[in-house]
Structure formats: structure tokens, C-alpha cells
């Protein structure tokens, strides 16, 4: 086992992907890291577990990312877990309209330029290639613009493409969601042509790809990892963080030590005097259903006018997502299960199949709401205290609250802390 070699303690609070990204980047440099996590497990909002009703390992929510996500690629390369990431080798998204039963595929191909979009059968119904050029409005959007305000004039393409894309990427109703943030994602996604916008999933589960290898990486490098260790308070003295209260115990922070706070905004706010944090959140509901038969084919399908927004099929489990759920939306989860199963049966051409074991999970604060006003409250990683750095998908990363945003925020925090220590 490698022992840490350089410097003084760096205290990382929160073992979600932001905290794991920061901790592993610092451990890679040989820094001495102490990781504290309030819950009994790591991964936060991005993890998998054995569901005893379904008797399957499931992800707490379907997590889709893109082949060109730089921070994710660097992170999994460090951990050696990139080989477990799966996805198609074309930037190809099948859709179905639940009302009209119409099916289509948006296919940007596998090359540097999205030539297949020139052919009508590779685009959303009734759209022309010129309609797609409206993407420029997103790429040049101002901070205050919403997706609906810029894109809803072409109703057909809005309903079939921009709306589902905005809901999936920003987890916010498109009439509230920041067009500039959607533009930032599309710019990153398409910078390398289809090569950088291939849809990607953690094939063997989120924890297998993003969490367990990080814990092993840290343990192999002598990082102390404390579960059930909750930050209750931070004390400040002389313009610095002077101590932490962790599960009731005082942890002094000498002047040469650093703290990275990588907890969600609702945990950060009470311990951060005078720092603005986004206050509004949007929920995500996921339904996981055991299918009668296993398939080797990976399915990622968008659904229009259904209850489900996206359907993913891996092995013998179909998982569906409803994004941008607000506090005002009321669902009876047992009724919803039947409606979601109806969506699955139609989409997968398996009508009259009885619903088997399933699990519905509702995450009320899945991400921050990406409305412009809420996003303006996202703080920078660097704080007014020279030994305190922030990380988390909700900080001002320039990206929406996603895996890529969380991992990038951790990498940024690690860079700032290393800079402060050298
Ligand atoms: C259902 C669902 C679906 C999603 N789908 C996608 C998707 O398709 N694509 C995508 O890219 N992203 C998706 N996301 C978003 C993604 O999961 C998050 O952006 C990312 O996991 C956030 O990581 P984080 O480390 O910033 O925060 P978190 O995961 O919230 O981690 C924070 C950690 O801090 C711990 N903590 C909290 N308070 C304290 C305290 N006081 N002391 C110590 N520890 C504390 C928590 O227990 C947690 O482990 C989805 C999220 C959900 C919930």
C-alpha cells in the first residue's frame, strides 16, 4: 500500500462524486486526505445498491452522460474503471410519441460532422435541417434566457427535441430552465463531433464505475475514510476555518491544513456564514421494473407525451425516468407504477405483459433548479477563507448539476488546494 508523502492534512467533507473526485485527485499527488461522510455509504446521489424486492442491483437513478465528458474521463482513467462504461457507437437517440405511436431516431452518426441529419429519416418528424440550426440561439444565449423563450417558436421541433433534451439535461421545466447552461452542455458535447456526444451509462452500475474503485484507490493510498461522520458546524477564527465539529467531536484545523466542503447546498448553507447557495430544487422519479426476459441489447429511448421521459433497458431491468418534478406535482406512486409500466410495454412492443417486481424511487432534491435566478446564487469554489474550498454539482462550474459538473468541481477544488499548499 502506498503511503501519502506530501504536506499536511486535507479534510474533505462529503463522499459524493465531488468529494471523491477531489480526494482521489489529491491522493494521486501523494497528499494526505481525510474523508468524512455523514451516511453509512459513499456515492451520494450517484450510487447503486441491491434492491431486495427486485433482487437486482439498481442505480438510485438512471444516470446518462456523454463520451466527451472530460472530467469524467479523467476521473475513471485515474480509477481504472472506464472499461465498465457502456453505450452505442453512434450518437443516435430513438424516440417514440406515446399519443401518436410514431417512432423516429435523431441520428448524428459516428463522424466528426453530423451528416446523417441531412436525411429526413434521421431527424425529428416534420423538421428540416434548417430548423436544427436554431441550436445557435442556445450557443449564444444570455444568462437570463430560458430554453422555452428561445426555442418554443418552432412547436414541432420544440416538443420532439428541445423540450425533452432540456428536461433530461437540466432537470428543470424548459419555461424556467437556463438556455445558456443547455448551450454550455451542447458546446462541450459537439466539440468533437459524434465522438464526444455518444450517450454513456455505467454498465455494471454507478457504484461499480464511480464509487467503489474510488474508495479502493483512496484506501490503497492511506486515506482515512470515516462513514457516519457528519459535519455539524465549522468554526472560524482569524479569517480562517479553525475547527470542524464532526459528529459532535471537535477537529482542530491548524493553519497549514485545508478543508474542502463537498456536501449538497442544503447541508452547506447552515455552516457557511454569508455565502449564497441555490435554494430551489427539482425532483426526479425513477421506476425500475424486472422484465420477463433478459436482453443483450442496451436501449436508451426518449418518450414524448408519456408519463416516462426516458426508458433504459439493461439485462432484464427496464428503468424509466420522470425529470423536472416540482413540489407541486403530486403522484400516487402505486398508480404511477402502472402508468409507467404501460409506457414500457408500448415502447418495447410487449403489450399485455403483466407487471412484475418493481421499485419506484422519488428523489425530491435530485438537483438544483437550473432557472437563471437560482443559478445566479451558485458560489465559486474559492471562498473568503483561504483554507476553505467548495465543491459540488451546485457550485458555479459553468455546467448543470450533473456527474460531469460534480467531478469537475472536485478536480477544481483539488487544484486550488494544491496551489494553496505549495
Ligand atoms: C435520480 C437522479 C438522477 C440523476 N440523473 C443524472 C444523469 O442522468 N446524468 C448526470 O450527469 N447526473 C444525474 N444526476 C445528478 C448527479 O447524481 C449529481 O449531480 C451528482 O451525483 C452530485 O454529486 P455531489 O458530490 O455534488 O453531491 P452528492 O451526491 O449529494 O454528495 C454529497 C455527499 O455529502 C454527504 N453529506 C451531506 N451532508 C453532510 C455533512 N453535514 N457531513 C458530511 N457529509 C455530508 C452526503 O451524504 C453525500 O454523500 C441525477 C441525480 C439524481 C438524484
Amino acid at each position: 500500500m502506498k503511503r501519502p508523502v506530501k504536506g499536511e492534512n486535507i479534510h474533505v467533507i462529503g463522499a459524493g462524486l465531488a468529494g471523491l473526485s477531489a480526494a482521489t485527485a489529491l491522493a494521486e499527488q501523494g497528499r494526505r486526505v481525510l474523508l468524512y461522510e455523514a451516511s453509512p455509504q459513499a456515492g451520494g446521489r450517484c450510487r447503486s445498491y441491491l434492491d431486495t424486492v427486485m433482487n437486482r442491483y439498481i442505480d438510485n437513478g438512471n444516470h446518462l452522460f456523454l463520451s466527451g465528458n472530460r472530467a469524467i474521463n479523467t476521473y475513471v482513467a485515474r480509477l481504472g474503471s472506464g472499461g465498465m462504461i457502456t453505450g452505442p457507437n453512434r450518437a443516435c437517440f430513438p424516440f417514440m410519441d406515446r399519443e401518436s405511436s410514431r417512432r423516429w431516431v435523431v441520428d448524428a452518426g459516428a463522424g466528426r460532422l453530423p451528416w446523417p441529419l441531412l436525411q429526413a429519416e434521421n431527424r425529428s418528424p416534420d423538421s428540416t435541417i434548417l430548423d436544427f440550426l436554431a441550436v445557435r440561439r442556445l450557443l449564444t444565449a444570455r444568462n437570463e434566457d430560458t430554453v422555452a423563450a428561445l426555442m418554443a417558436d418552432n412547436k414541432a421541433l420544440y416538443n420532439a427535441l428541445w423540450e425533452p433534451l432540456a428536461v433530461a439535461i437540466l432537470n428543470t421545466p424548459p419555461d424556467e430552465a437556463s438556455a445558456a447552461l443547455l448551450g454550455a452542455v451542447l458546446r462541450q458535447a459537439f466539440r468533437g463531433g459524434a465522438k464526444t456526444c455518444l450517450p454513456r451509462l455505467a454498465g455494471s452500475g454507478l457504484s461499480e464505475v464511480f464509487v467503489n474503485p474510488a474508495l479502493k484507490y483512496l484506501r490503497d493510498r492511506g486515506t482515512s475514510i470515516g462513514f457516519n461522520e457528519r459535519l455539524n458546524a465549522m468554526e472560524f477564527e482569524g479569517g480562517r476555518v479553525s475547527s470542524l465539529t464532526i459528529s459532535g467531536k471537535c477537529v482542530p484545523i491548524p493553519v497549514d491544513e485545508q478543508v474542502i466542503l463537498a456536501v449538497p447546498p442544503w447541508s452547506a448553507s447552515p455552516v457557511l456564514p454569508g455565502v449564497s447557495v441555490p435554494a430551489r430544487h427539482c425532483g426526479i422519479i425513477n421506476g425500475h421494473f424486472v422484465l420477463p426476459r433478459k436482453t443483450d441489447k442496451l436501449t436508451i429511448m426518449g418518450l414524448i407525451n408519456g408519463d416516462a421521459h426516458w426508458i433504459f433497458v439493461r439485462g432484464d431491468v427496464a428503468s424509466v425516468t420522470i425529470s423536472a418534478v416540482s413540489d407541486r406535482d403530486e403522484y400516487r406512486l402505486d398508480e404511477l407504477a402502472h402508468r409507467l409500466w404501460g409506457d414500457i410495454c408500448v415502447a418495447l412492443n410487449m403489450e399485455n405483459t403483466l407487471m412484475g417486481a418493481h421499485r419506484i424511487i422519488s428523489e425530491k432534491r435530485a438537483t438544483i433548479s437550473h432557472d437563471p435566478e437560482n443559478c445566479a446564487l451558485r458560489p465559486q469554489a474559492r471562498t473568503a477563507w483561504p483554507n476553505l474550498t467548495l465543491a459540488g454539482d451546485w457550485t458555479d462550474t459553468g455546467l448543470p448539476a450533473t456527474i460531469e459538473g460534480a467531478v469537475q468541481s472536485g478536480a477544481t477544488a483539488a487544484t486550488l488546494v494544491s496551489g494553496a499548499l505549495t
Side-chain angles (χ1 to χ4, degrees), residues 13-20 36-39 41-46 60-65 69 72 168 229-232 246 261-264 266-268 271 284-286 312 321 361 363 365-367 391-394 400-407 409:
I13 303 158
L17 292 197
L20 292 173
Y36 309 88
E37 165 56 48
S39 73
Q41 78 272 317
R45 280 169 283 153
C46 182
N60 69 316
N62 294 321
H63 279 66
L64 190 72
F65 48 100
N69 285 153
I72 292 180
E229 296 205 344
R230 176 177 294 277
L231 175 75
N232 312 117
I246 304 270
L261 187 62
V263 301
W266 57 89
S267 289
V271 296
I284 296 180
I285 296 177
N286 273 273
F312 299 75
T321 300
I361 307 171
E363 291 263 8
R365 294 187 291 196
T367 67
D393 63 351
W394 57 279
T402 51
I403 301 181
E404 175 71 359
V407 172
S409 77

Side-chain angles (χ1 to χ4, degrees), residues 100-250:
S100 65
S101 298
R102 200 165 174 181
R103 290 173 190 261
W104 66 94
V105 174
V106 177
D107 186 353
R112 173 123 194 106
L113 291 169
W115 294 120
L117 287 177
L118 288 174
Q119 276 152 356
E121 69 267 23
N122 294 325
R123 297 195 299 263
S124 313
D126 310 321
S127 63
T128 69
I129 189 69
L130 291 180
D131 293 335
F132 275 72
L133 296 182
V135 74
R136 275 182 308 194
R137 297 184 204 159
L138 293 172
L139 301 179
T140 55
R142 297 164 305 169
N143 284 344
E144 62 272 27
D145 293 329
T146 65
V147 175
L150 292 193
M151 310 305 282
D153 56 338
N154 180 337
K155 196 135 183 54
L157 195 58
Y158 179 72
N159 289 344
L161 187 67
W162 304 124
E163 185 177 32
L165 215 56
V167 166
I169 295 174
L170 300 178
N171 187 36
T172 304
D175 56 344
E176 297 171 18
S178 158
L181 270 183
L182 184 57
V185 173
L186 295 179
R187 204 175 296 117
Q188 198 195 55
F190 284 97
R191 70 179 190 283
K195 208 170 53 165
T196 49
C197 62
L198 302 175
R200 287 291 174 261
L201 290 173
S204 36
L206 293 168
S207 291
E208 286 299 305
V209 173
F210 294 117
V211 182
N212 298 339
L215 295 177
K216 178 171 185 324
Y217 187 93
L218 292 170
R219 287 191 178 113
D220 285 352
R221 285 156 185 80
T223 297
S224 133
I225 305 174
F227 292 111
N228 302 305
E229 296 205 344
R230 176 177 294 277
L231 175 75
N232 312 117
M234 263 192 303
E235 290 76 35
F236 300 87
E237 217 178 286
R240 307 177 70 84
V241 177
S242 54
S243 66
L244 309 173
T245 308
I246 304 270
S247 293
K249 288 196 209 86
C250 178

